[in-house]
């Protein structure tokens, strides 16, 4: 499985939800994982494309505001 592919993230969503089922609902766990990954990508200093980073930051801010 290719790292950072859709299948990679889908598997990680399922794994994270299963590992945290005693703490979070599936929806909450998926949201937690998503926010964590977006934050990691935003703060990664490798291979930044300013437009993509801007969109991810906007997405992250909007997600935080909507919670």
């Amino acid at each position: 499985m290719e790292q950072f592919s859709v299948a990679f993230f889908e598997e990680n969503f399922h794994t994270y939800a299963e590992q945290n089922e005693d703490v979070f609902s599936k929806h909450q766990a998926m949201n937690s994982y998503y926010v964590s990954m977006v934050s990691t990508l935003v703060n990664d200093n490798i291979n930044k494309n300013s437009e993509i980073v801007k969109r991810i930051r906007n997405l992250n801010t909007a997600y935080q505001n909507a919670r």
Side-chain angles (χ1 to χ4, degrees), residues 9-26:
F9 285 122
E10 286 175 346
E11 183 175 321
N12 286 345
F13 272 125
H14 292 297
T15 300
Y16 189 84
E18 288 173 5
Q19 290 174 341
N20 292 284
E21 65 187 359
D22 58 329
V23 179
F24 298 123
S25 70
K26 180 180 178 183

Side-chain angles (χ1 to χ4, degrees), residues 18-53:
E18 288 173 5
Q19 290 174 341
N20 292 284
E21 65 187 359
D22 58 329
V23 179
F24 298 123
S25 70
K26 180 180 178 183
H27 184 76
Q28 290 171 324
M30 291 179 67
N31 285 343
S32 176
Y33 178 80
Y34 176 84
V35 170
S36 175
M37 290 308 301
V38 169
S39 295
T40 299
L41 292 170
V42 166
N43 292 312
D44 186 359
N45 290 319
I46 300 172
N47 298 323
K48 282 193 175 180
N49 174 313
S50 63
E51 186 59 30
I52 292 173
V53 171

